[in-house]
Coordinates of all heavy atoms in Angstrom, one line a residue:
M179 N 0.8 -1.2 0.0 CA 0.0 0.0 0.0 C 0.9 1.3 0.0 O 0.7 2.1 -0.8 CB -0.9 0.0 1.2 CG -1.9 -1.1 1.3 SD -3.2 -0.9 0.0 CE -4.5 -0.2 0.9
V180 N 1.8 1.4 1.0 CA 2.6 2.5 1.1 C 3.6 2.6 -0.1 O 3.8 3.7 -0.7 CB 3.4 2.5 2.4 CG1 4.4 3.7 2.4 CG2 2.5 2.6 3.6
A181 N 4.1 1.4 -0.5 CA 5.0 1.4 -1.7 C 4.3 1.9 -2.9 O 4.9 2.6 -3.8 CB 5.6 0.0 -1.8
D182 N 3.1 1.5 -3.1 CA 2.3 1.9 -4.3 C 2.1 3.4 -4.3 O 2.3 4.1 -5.3 CB 1.0 1.2 -4.3 CG 1.0 -0.2 -4.7 OD1 2.1 -0.6 -5.2 OD2 0.1 -1.0 -4.4
K183 N 1.9 4.0 -3.1 CA 1.7 5.4 -3.0 C 3.0 6.2 -3.3 O 3.0 7.2 -3.9 CB 1.2 5.8 -1.5 CG 0.8 7.2 -1.4 CD -0.5 7.5 -2.1 CE -0.9 8.9 -1.9 NZ -2.0 9.3 -2.8
V184 N 4.1 5.6 -2.8 CA 5.4 6.2 -3.0 C 5.7 6.2 -4.5 O 6.1 7.2 -5.1 CB 6.5 5.5 -2.3 CG1 7.9 5.9 -2.7 CG2 6.4 5.7 -0.8
K185 N 5.4 5.1 -5.2 CA 5.7 5.0 -6.7 C 4.8 6.0 -7.4 O 5.2 6.7 -8.3 CB 5.3 3.6 -7.2 CG 6.4 2.6 -6.9 CD 6.0 1.2 -7.5 CE 7.0 0.2 -7.1 NZ 6.6 -1.2 -7.5
E186 N 3.6 6.1 -6.9 CA 2.6 7.1 -7.6 C 3.2 8.5 -7.4 O 3.2 9.3 -8.3 CB 1.3 7.0 -6.9 CG 0.2 7.8 -7.5 CD -1.1 7.6 -6.8 OE1 -1.5 6.4 -6.6 OE2 -1.8 8.6 -6.5
L187 N 3.7 8.9 -6.2 CA 4.2 10.2 -5.9 C 5.5 10.4 -6.7 O 5.7 11.5 -7.2 CB 4.5 10.4 -4.4 CG 3.2 10.5 -3.6 CD1 3.6 10.5 -2.1 CD2 2.5 11.8 -3.9
E188 N 6.3 9.4 -6.9 CA 7.5 9.5 -7.7 C 7.2 9.8 -9.2 O 7.8 10.7 -9.8 CB 8.4 8.3 -7.6 CG 9.1 8.2 -6.3 CD 9.9 6.9 -6.1 OE1 9.7 5.9 -6.9 OE2 10.7 6.8 -5.2
Q189 N 6.2 9.1 -9.7 CA 5.8 9.4 -11.1 C 5.2 10.8 -11.2 O 5.5 11.5 -12.2 CB 4.7 8.4 -11.5 CG 5.2 7.0 -11.7 CD 6.3 6.9 -12.8 OE1 6.1 7.5 -13.8 NE2 7.4 6.2 -12.5
E190 N 4.5 11.2 -10.2 CA 3.9 12.6 -10.3 C 5.0 13.6 -10.2 O 5.0 14.6 -10.9 CB 2.9 12.8 -9.1 CG 2.2 14.1 -9.1 CD 1.2 14.3 -8.0 OE1 0.9 13.3 -7.3 OE2 0.9 15.4 -7.7
N191 N 6.1 13.3 -9.4 CA 7.2 14.2 -9.3 C 8.0 14.4 -10.6 O 8.4 15.4 -11.0 CB 8.1 13.7 -8.2 CG 9.2 14.8 -7.8 OD1 9.0 16.0 -7.9 ND2 10.3 14.3 -7.3
I192 N 8.2 13.2 -11.3 CA 8.8 13.2 -12.6 C 8.1 14.1 -13.6 O 8.6 14.9 -14.3 CB 9.0 11.8 -13.1 CG1 10.1 11.1 -12.2 CG2 9.4 11.8 -14.6 CD1 10.1 9.6 -12.4
L193 N 6.7 13.9 -13.6 CA 5.9 14.7 -14.5 C 5.9 16.2 -14.2 O 6.1 17.0 -15.1 CB 4.4 14.2 -14.4 CG 3.4 14.8 -15.2 CD1 3.7 14.5 -16.7 CD2 2.0 14.4 -14.8
L194 N 5.9 16.5 -12.9 CA 5.9 17.9 -12.5 C 7.3 18.6 -12.9 O 7.3 19.7 -13.3 CB 5.7 18.1 -11.0 CG 4.2 17.8 -10.6 CD1 4.1 17.8 -9.1 CD2 3.3 18.9 -11.2
K195 N 8.4 17.8 -12.7 CA 9.7 18.3 -13.1 C 9.8 18.6 -14.6 O 10.3 19.6 -15.0 CB 10.8 17.4 -12.7 CG 11.2 17.4 -11.2 CD 12.3 16.5 -10.9 CE 12.7 16.6 -9.4 NZ 13.7 15.6 -9.0
A196 N 9.2 17.7 -15.4 CA 9.2 17.9 -16.8 C 8.4 19.2 -17.2 O 8.8 19.9 -18.1 CB 8.7 16.7 -17.5
Q197 N 7.3 19.3 -16.5 CA 6.4 20.5 -16.8 C 7.1 21.8 -16.4 O 7.1 22.8 -17.1 CB 5.1 20.4 -16.1 CG 4.2 19.3 -16.6 CD 2.9 19.2 -15.9 OE1 2.8 19.5 -14.7 NE2 1.9 18.6 -16.5
V198 N 7.8 21.8 -15.3 CA 8.6 23.0 -14.8 C 9.7 23.3 -15.8 O 9.9 24.5 -16.2 CB 9.2 22.8 -13.4 CG1 10.2 23.8 -13.1 CG2 8.1 22.8 -12.4
E199 N 10.4 22.3 -16.3 CA 11.5 22.5 -17.3 C 10.9 23.1 -18.6 O 11.5 24.0 -19.2 CB 12.2 21.2 -17.6 CG 13.4 21.4 -18.4 CD 14.2 20.1 -18.5 OE1 14.2 19.3 -17.6 OE2 14.7 19.9 -19.6
E200 N 9.7 22.6 -19.0 CA 9.1 23.1 -20.2 C 8.7 24.5 -20.1 O 8.9 25.4 -20.9 CB 7.9 22.2 -20.6 CG 7.2 22.6 -21.9 CD 6.1 21.7 -22.2 OE1 6.0 20.6 -21.6 OE2 5.2 22.1 -23.0
L201 N 8.1 24.9 -18.9 CA 7.7 26.3 -18.6 C 8.9 27.2 -18.6 O 8.9 28.3 -19.0 CB 6.9 26.3 -17.3 CG 5.5 25.8 -17.4 CD1 4.9 25.7 -16.0 CD2 4.7 26.7 -18.3
Q202 N 10.0 26.7 -18.0 CA 11.2 27.6 -18.0 C 11.8 27.8 -19.4 O 12.3 28.9 -19.7 CB 12.3 26.9 -17.1 CG 12.0 27.1 -15.6 CD 13.0 26.4 -14.7 OE1 13.6 25.4 -15.1 NE2 13.1 26.9 -13.5
N203 N 11.6 26.8 -20.3 CA 12.1 27.0 -21.6 C 11.2 28.0 -22.3 O 11.7 28.8 -23.1 CB 12.0 25.7 -22.4 CG 13.1 24.7 -22.0 OD1 14.1 25.1 -21.4 ND2 12.9 23.4 -22.2
I204 N 9.9 28.0 -22.0 CA 9.0 29.0 -22.6 C 9.2 30.4 -22.1 O 9.3 31.4 -22.8 CB 7.5 28.5 -22.4 CG1 7.3 27.2 -23.2 CG2 6.6 29.6 -22.9 CD1 5.9 26.6 -22.9
C205 N 9.3 30.5 -20.8 CA 9.3 31.8 -20.1 C 10.7 32.3 -19.8 O 10.8 33.4 -19.4 CB 8.5 31.7 -18.8 SG 6.8 31.2 -19.0
G206 N 11.7 31.5 -20.0 CA 13.1 31.9 -19.6 C 13.3 31.5 -18.2 O 12.4 31.1 -17.4
T207 N 14.5 31.5 -17.8 CA 14.9 31.1 -16.4 C 14.4 32.0 -15.3 O 14.2 31.7 -14.2 CB 16.4 30.8 -16.3 OG1 17.0 32.0 -16.7 CG2 16.8 29.6 -17.1
N208 N 14.3 33.3 -15.7 CA 13.8 34.3 -14.8 C 12.3 34.5 -14.9 O 11.9 35.6 -15.4 CB 14.6 35.6 -14.9 CG 14.3 36.6 -13.8 OD1 13.6 36.3 -12.9 ND2 14.8 37.8 -14.0
A209 N 11.5 33.5 -14.5 CA 10.1 33.6 -14.7 C 9.5 34.6 -13.7 O 8.3 34.8 -13.8 CB 9.5 32.2 -14.6
S210 N 10.2 35.0 -12.7 CA 9.7 35.9 -11.7 C 9.4 37.3 -12.3 O 8.6 38.1 -11.7 CB 10.5 36.0 -10.5 OG 11.8 36.5 -10.9
A211 N 10.1 37.7 -13.4 CA 9.8 39.0 -14.0 C 8.4 39.1 -14.5 O 7.9 38.1 -15.1 CB 10.8 39.3 -15.1
P212 N 7.7 40.2 -14.3 CA 6.3 40.2 -14.7 C 6.2 40.2 -16.2 O 7.1 40.5 -16.9 CB 5.9 41.6 -14.2 CG 7.1 42.4 -13.9 CD 8.2 41.4 -13.7
M213 N 5.0 39.6 -16.7 CA 4.8 39.5 -18.1 C 3.9 40.7 -18.5 O 2.9 40.5 -19.2 CB 4.1 38.2 -18.4 CG 5.1 37.0 -18.1 SD 4.3 35.4 -18.3 CE 3.9 35.4 -20.1
N214 N 4.3 41.9 -18.2 CA 3.5 43.1 -18.5 C 4.0 43.6 -19.9 O 5.1 43.3 -20.3 CB 3.8 44.2 -17.5 CG 3.2 43.8 -16.1 OD1 2.5 42.8 -16.0 ND2 3.7 44.5 -15.1
C215 N 3.2 44.5 -20.4 CA 3.6 45.1 -21.7 C 5.0 45.8 -21.5 O 5.8 45.8 -22.5 CB 2.6 46.2 -22.1 SG 1.0 45.5 -22.6
E216 N 5.2 46.4 -20.4 CA 6.5 47.1 -20.1 C 7.7 46.2 -20.4 O 8.8 46.7 -20.8 CB 6.5 47.5 -18.6 CG 7.7 48.3 -18.2 CD 7.6 48.7 -16.7 OE1 6.7 48.3 -16.0 OE2 8.5 49.5 -16.3
Y217 N 7.6 44.9 -20.2 CA 8.7 44.0 -20.4 C 8.6 43.2 -21.7 O 9.3 42.2 -21.9 CB 8.8 43.0 -19.2 CG 9.0 43.8 -17.9 CD1 8.0 44.0 -17.0 CD2 10.3 44.3 -17.6 CE1 8.2 44.7 -15.8 CE2 10.5 45.0 -16.4 CZ 9.4 45.2 -15.5 OH 9.6 45.9 -14.4
C218 N 7.7 43.6 -22.5 CA 7.4 42.8 -23.8 C 8.2 43.4 -24.9 O 8.4 44.7 -25.0 CB 5.9 42.9 -24.1 SG 5.5 42.1 -25.6
K219 N 8.7 42.6 -25.8 CA 9.4 43.0 -27.0 C 8.6 43.8 -27.9 O 9.2 44.7 -28.6 CB 9.9 41.7 -27.7 CG 10.8 41.9 -28.8 CD 11.2 40.6 -29.4 CE 12.1 40.7 -30.6 NZ 12.5 39.5 -31.2
N220 N 7.3 43.7 -27.9 CA 6.4 44.4 -28.8 C 6.0 45.8 -28.3 O 5.3 46.5 -29.0 CB 5.2 43.6 -29.1 CG 5.5 42.3 -29.8 OD1 6.3 42.3 -30.7 ND2 4.9 41.2 -29.3
F221 N 6.4 46.1 -27.1 CA 5.9 47.3 -26.4 C 6.8 48.5 -26.8 O 8.0 48.4 -26.7 CB 5.9 47.2 -24.9 CG 5.3 48.4 -24.2 CD1 4.0 48.7 -24.3 CD2 6.2 49.2 -23.4 CE1 3.5 49.8 -23.6 CE2 5.7 50.3 -22.8 CZ 4.4 50.6 -22.9
I222 N 6.2 49.6 -27.3 CA 7.0 50.8 -27.7 C 6.6 51.8 -26.6 O 5.5 52.3 -26.5 CB 6.6 51.3 -29.0 CG1 6.7 50.3 -30.1 CG2 7.4 52.6 -29.4 CD1 8.1 49.7 -30.3
Q223 N 7.6 52.2 -25.8 CA 7.4 53.1 -24.7 C 7.2 54.5 -25.2 O 7.8 55.0 -26.2 CB 8.7 53.1 -23.8 CG 8.7 54.1 -22.6 CD 7.7 53.7 -21.6 OE1 7.8 52.5 -21.1 NE2 6.8 54.5 -21.2
H224 N 6.2 55.3 -24.6 CA 6.0 56.7 -24.9 C 6.8 57.5 -23.9 O 6.9 57.1 -22.7 CB 4.5 57.0 -24.9 CG 3.8 56.4 -26.1 ND1 2.4 56.6 -26.2 CD2 4.2 55.6 -27.1 CE1 2.1 55.9 -27.3 NE2 3.1 55.4 -27.9
Y225 N 7.2 58.7 -24.4 CA 8.0 59.6 -23.5 C 7.3 61.0 -23.6 O 6.6 61.3 -24.5 CB 9.4 59.7 -24.0 CG 10.2 58.4 -23.9 CD1 10.1 57.4 -24.9 CD2 11.0 58.2 -22.8 CE1 10.8 56.3 -24.7 CE2 11.7 57.0 -22.6 CZ 11.6 56.0 -23.6 OH 12.2 54.9 -23.5
I226 N 7.6 61.8 -22.6 CA 7.2 63.2 -22.5 C 8.5 64.0 -22.4 O 9.5 63.6 -21.7 CB 6.3 63.4 -21.3 CG1 5.7 64.9 -21.4 CG2 6.9 63.2 -20.0 CD1 4.6 65.1 -20.4
K227 N 8.5 65.1 -23.1 CA 9.7 66.0 -23.1 C 9.4 67.1 -22.1 O 8.5 67.9 -22.2 CB 9.9 66.6 -24.5 CG 11.2 67.4 -24.5 CD 11.5 67.9 -26.0 CE 12.8 68.6 -26.0 NZ 13.0 69.2 -27.3
V228 N 10.3 67.2 -21.1 CA 10.2 68.2 -20.1 C 11.5 69.0 -20.2 O 12.6 68.5 -19.9 CB 10.0 67.6 -18.7 CG1 10.0 68.7 -17.6 CG2 8.8 66.7 -18.6
E229 N 11.3 70.2 -20.6 CA 12.5 71.1 -20.9 C 13.4 70.4 -21.9 O 12.9 70.2 -23.0 CB 13.2 71.5 -19.6 CG 12.3 72.4 -18.7 CD 12.9 72.7 -17.4 OE1 14.1 72.4 -17.2 OE2 12.3 73.4 -16.6
M230 N 14.6 70.0 -21.6 CA 15.5 69.4 -22.5 C 15.6 67.9 -22.3 O 16.6 67.3 -22.9 CB 16.9 70.1 -22.4 CG 16.9 71.6 -22.8 SD 16.3 71.8 -24.5 CE 17.7 71.2 -25.4
Q231 N 14.7 67.3 -21.5 CA 14.9 65.9 -21.2 C 13.7 65.1 -21.5 O 12.6 65.5 -21.2 CB 15.3 65.8 -19.7 CG 15.7 64.5 -19.3 CD 16.3 64.5 -17.8 OE1 16.3 65.5 -17.2 NE2 16.7 63.3 -17.4
Y232 N 13.8 63.9 -22.0 CA 12.7 63.0 -22.2 C 12.5 62.0 -21.0 O 13.5 61.4 -20.5 CB 12.9 62.1 -23.5 CG 12.7 62.9 -24.7 CD1 13.8 63.5 -25.4 CD2 11.5 63.1 -25.3 CE1 13.7 64.2 -26.5 CE2 11.3 63.8 -26.4 CZ 12.4 64.4 -27.1 OH 12.3 65.1 -28.2
S233 N 11.3 61.9 -20.5 CA 11.0 61.0 -19.4 C 9.9 60.0 -19.9 O 9.0 60.4 -20.5 CB 10.5 61.8 -18.2 OG 11.5 62.7 -17.8
P234 N 10.1 58.7 -19.5 CA 9.1 57.7 -19.8 C 7.7 58.0 -19.1 O 7.8 58.4 -17.9 CB 9.7 56.4 -19.4 CG 10.7 56.7 -18.4 CD 11.2 58.1 -18.7
V235 N 6.6 57.8 -19.8 CA 5.3 57.8 -19.1 C 4.8 56.4 -19.0 O 5.4 55.5 -19.5 CB 4.3 58.7 -19.9 CG1 4.8 60.2 -20.0 CG2 4.2 58.2 -21.3
C236 N 3.7 56.3 -18.2 CA 3.2 54.9 -18.0 C 2.3 54.4 -19.1 O 1.4 53.6 -18.8 CB 2.5 54.8 -16.6 SG 1.1 55.9 -16.5
S237 N 2.6 54.8 -20.3 CA 1.8 54.2 -21.5 C 2.7 54.1 -22.7 O 3.9 54.6 -22.7 CB 0.6 55.1 -21.8 OG 1.1 56.3 -22.3
G238 N 2.2 53.4 -23.7 CA 3.0 53.2 -24.9 C 2.0 52.6 -25.9 O 0.8 52.7 -25.8
H239 N 2.6 51.9 -26.9 CA 1.7 51.2 -27.8 C 2.3 49.9 -28.2 O 3.5 49.6 -28.0 CB 1.4 52.1 -29.1 CG 2.5 52.3 -30.0 ND1 3.4 53.4 -29.8 CD2 3.0 51.6 -31.0 CE1 4.3 53.3 -30.8 NE2 4.1 52.3 -31.5
C240 N 1.5 49.0 -28.7 CA 1.9 47.7 -29.1 C 2.2 47.6 -30.5 O 1.5 48.1 -31.4 CB 0.7 46.7 -28.7 SG 1.1 45.0 -29.2
A241 N 3.4 47.0 -30.8 CA 3.8 46.9 -32.2 C 3.5 45.5 -32.8 O 3.9 45.2 -33.9 CB 5.3 47.2 -32.3
A242 N 2.6 44.8 -32.1 CA 2.3 43.4 -32.5 C 1.0 43.4 -33.4 O 0.5 42.3 -33.6 CB 2.2 42.5 -31.4
G243 N 0.6 44.6 -33.7 CA -0.6 44.6 -34.6 C -1.9 44.4 -33.8 O -2.9 44.0 -34.4
R244 N -1.9 44.6 -32.5 CA -3.1 44.5 -31.7 C -4.0 45.6 -32.0 O -3.6 46.7 -32.4 CB -2.7 44.5 -30.2 CG -1.7 43.6 -29.7 CD -2.1 42.2 -29.6 NE -3.2 42.1 -28.6 CZ -3.9 41.1 -28.3 NH1 -3.7 40.0 -29.0 NH2 -4.8 41.1 -27.4
R245 N -5.3 45.4 -32.0 CA -6.3 46.5 -32.4 C -6.2 47.7 -31.5 O -6.2 48.8 -32.0 CB -7.7 45.9 -32.3 CG -8.0 45.1 -33.5 CD -9.5 44.8 -33.5 NE -9.8 44.2 -34.8 CZ -11.0 44.1 -35.2 NH1 -12.0 44.5 -34.5 NH2 -11.2 43.5 -36.4
M246 N -6.1 47.5 -30.2 CA -6.0 48.6 -29.3 C -4.5 49.0 -29.1 O -3.8 48.3 -28.4 CB -6.6 48.2 -27.9 CG -6.9 49.3 -27.0 SD -7.8 48.7 -25.6 CE -7.3 49.8 -24.4
K247 N -4.1 50.1 -29.7 CA -2.7 50.4 -29.8 C -2.2 51.0 -28.5 O -1.1 50.7 -28.1 CB -2.5 51.4 -30.9 CG -2.5 50.7 -32.3 CD -1.4 51.1 -33.1 CE -1.3 50.2 -34.3 NZ -0.1 50.4 -35.0
A248 N -3.0 51.9 -27.9 CA -2.5 52.5 -26.6 C -2.6 51.5 -25.5 O -3.6 50.9 -25.3 CB -3.4 53.7 -26.3
R249 N -1.5 51.3 -24.8 CA -1.4 50.3 -23.8 C -0.7 50.9 -22.5 O 0.1 51.8 -22.6 CB -0.5 49.1 -24.2 CG -0.8 48.5 -25.5 CD -2.1 47.7 -25.4 NE -2.0 46.6 -24.5 CZ -3.0 45.7 -24.2 NH1 -4.1 45.9 -24.7 NH2 -2.8 44.7 -23.4
R250 N -1.2 50.5 -21.4 CA -0.6 50.8 -20.1 C 0.5 49.8 -19.9 O 0.5 48.7 -20.4 CB -1.6 50.8 -19.0 CG -2.6 51.9 -19.0 CD -3.4 52.0 -17.7 NE -3.5 50.7 -17.0 CZ -4.6 49.9 -17.1 NH1 -5.6 50.3 -17.8 NH2 -4.7 48.8 -16.4
T251 N 1.5 50.2 -19.1 CA 2.7 49.3 -18.9 C 2.3 48.1 -18.1 O 3.0 47.1 -18.2 CB 3.8 50.1 -18.2 OG1 3.3 50.7 -17.0 CG2 4.4 51.2 -19.0
D252 N 1.2 48.1 -17.3 CA 0.9 47.0 -16.5 C -0.1 46.0 -17.2 O -0.5 45.0 -16.6 CB 0.3 47.5 -15.1 CG -1.0 48.3 -15.3 OD1 -1.2 48.8 -16.4 OD2 -1.7 48.5 -14.3
E253 N -0.4 46.2 -18.4 CA -1.3 45.3 -19.1 C -0.5 44.2 -19.8 O 0.7 44.3 -19.9 CB -2.1 46.0 -20.2 CG -3.1 47.0 -19.7 CD -3.8 47.8 -20.8 OE1 -3.1 48.7 -21.4 OE2 -4.9 47.5 -21.0
T254 N -1.2 43.1 -20.2 CA -0.5 42.0 -20.8 C -1.5 41.3 -21.8 O -2.6 41.7 -21.8 CB 0.1 41.0 -19.8 OG1 0.9 40.1 -20.5 CG2 -1.1 40.2 -19.1
C255 N -1.0 40.3 -22.5 CA -1.8 39.6 -23.4 C -1.1 38.3 -23.8 O 0.0 38.0 -23.3 CB -2.2 40.3 -24.7 SG -0.9 40.4 -25.9
K256 N -1.8 37.4 -24.5 CA -1.2 36.1 -24.9 C -0.1 36.2 -25.9 O 0.7 35.3 -26.0 CB -2.3 35.2 -25.5 CG -3.3 34.8 -24.4 CD -4.4 33.9 -25.1 CE -5.4 33.4 -24.0 NZ -6.4 32.6 -24.6
A257 N 0.1 37.4 -26.5 CA 1.2 37.6 -27.5 C 2.4 38.1 -26.9 O 3.4 38.4 -27.6 CB 0.7 38.5 -28.6
F258 N 2.5 38.1 -25.5 CA 3.7 38.6 -24.8 C 4.9 37.8 -25.2 O 5.0 36.6 -25.3 CB 3.5 38.4 -23.3 CG 4.7 38.8 -22.5 CD1 4.8 40.1 -22.1 CD2 5.6 37.8 -22.1 CE1 5.9 40.5 -21.3 CE2 6.7 38.2 -21.4 CZ 6.9 39.5 -21.0
I259 N 6.0 38.6 -25.5 CA 7.3 38.1 -25.8 C 8.3 38.8 -25.0 O 8.4 40.0 -25.0 CB 7.7 38.3 -27.3 CG1 6.7 37.6 -28.2 CG2 9.1 37.7 -27.6 CD1 6.9 37.9 -29.7
R260 N 9.0 38.1 -24.1 CA 9.9 38.7 -23.2 C 11.0 39.5 -23.9 O 11.7 39.0 -24.8 CB 10.6 37.7 -22.3 CG 11.3 38.3 -21.1 CD 11.7 37.2 -20.1 NE 10.6 36.4 -19.6 CZ 9.7 36.8 -18.7 NH1 9.8 38.0 -18.2 NH2 8.7 36.1 -18.3
K261 N 11.2 40.7 -23.4 CA 12.2 41.6 -24.0 C 13.6 41.2 -23.6 O 13.8 40.8 -22.4 CB 11.9 43.1 -23.5 CG 12.7 44.1 -24.2 CD 12.5 45.5 -23.6 CE 11.1 46.0 -23.8 NZ 10.9 47.3 -23.3
A262 N 14.5 41.2 -24.5 CA 15.9 40.8 -24.2 C 16.8 42.0 -24.2 O 16.7 42.8 -25.1 CB 16.4 39.7 -25.2
Y263 N 17.7 42.1 -23.2 CA 18.7 43.1 -23.2 C 20.0 42.4 -23.3 O 20.5 41.8 -22.4 CB 18.6 43.9 -21.9 CG 17.3 44.6 -21.7 CD1 16.3 44.0 -20.9 CD2 17.1 45.8 -22.2 CE1 15.1 44.7 -20.7 CE2 15.9 46.5 -22.1 CZ 14.9 45.9 -21.3 OH 13.7 46.6 -21.1
G264 N 20.7 42.6 -24.4 CA 22.0 42.0 -24.6 C 21.9 40.5 -24.5 O 21.0 39.8 -25.0
K265 N 22.8 39.9 -23.7 CA 22.8 38.4 -23.6 C 21.8 37.9 -22.6 O 21.3 36.8 -22.6 CB 24.2 37.9 -23.1 CG 25.3 38.1 -24.1 CD 26.6 37.6 -23.4 CE 27.7 37.7 -24.4 NZ 29.0 37.3 -23.8
N266 N 21.5 38.8 -21.6 CA 20.6 38.4 -20.5 C 19.2 38.8 -20.7 O 18.9 39.9 -21.3 CB 21.1 39.0 -19.2 CG 22.5 38.6 -18.9 OD1 22.9 37.4 -19.1 ND2 23.3 39.5 -18.4
Y267 N 18.3 38.0 -20.2 CA 16.9 38.4 -20.2 C 16.6 39.1 -18.8 O 17.3 38.8 -17.9 CB 16.0 37.1 -20.3 CG 16.1 36.5 -21.6 CD1 16.9 35.5 -21.9 CD2 15.2 37.0 -22.6 CE1 17.0 34.9 -23.2 CE2 15.2 36.4 -23.9 CZ 16.1 35.4 -24.1 OH 16.2 34.9 -25.4
I268 N 15.6 39.9 -18.8 CA 15.3 40.6 -17.6 C 14.6 39.7 -16.6 O 14.1 38.7 -17.0 CB 14.4 41.8 -17.8 CG1 13.2 41.5 -18.7 CG2 15.2 42.9 -18.4 CD1 12.2 42.6 -18.8
Ligands
LIG129 S1 -0.4 44.0 -25.9 FE1 0.6 42.0 -25.7 S2 2.1 41.9 -27.5 FE2 1.5 44.0 -27.2 S3 3.0 44.9 -25.9 FE3 1.4 44.2 -24.5 S4 2.0 42.1 -23.9 FE4 3.2 42.7 -25.7

């Protein structure tokens, strides 16, 4: 009885490890970074010019051809693609 339960848990553990590895391949190793528009490759940040300096505002637009172009930085969608900076992902 106990041995059967242990075998069942071991099989479940193997399955869960495979699923975690697959998710890490999809989301990158730093899955803790939010999947907001702000961190999406398709997000174009908008800026405001104050005197001689440009500052980012909390909106932008999506370059992925989404119907609603104006986006807030905290929104997301299924077309999210993690933005890459150099060799490392955020
Ligand atoms: S709407 Fe989707 S694809 Fe466009 S910037 Fe936001 S998360 Fe990325």
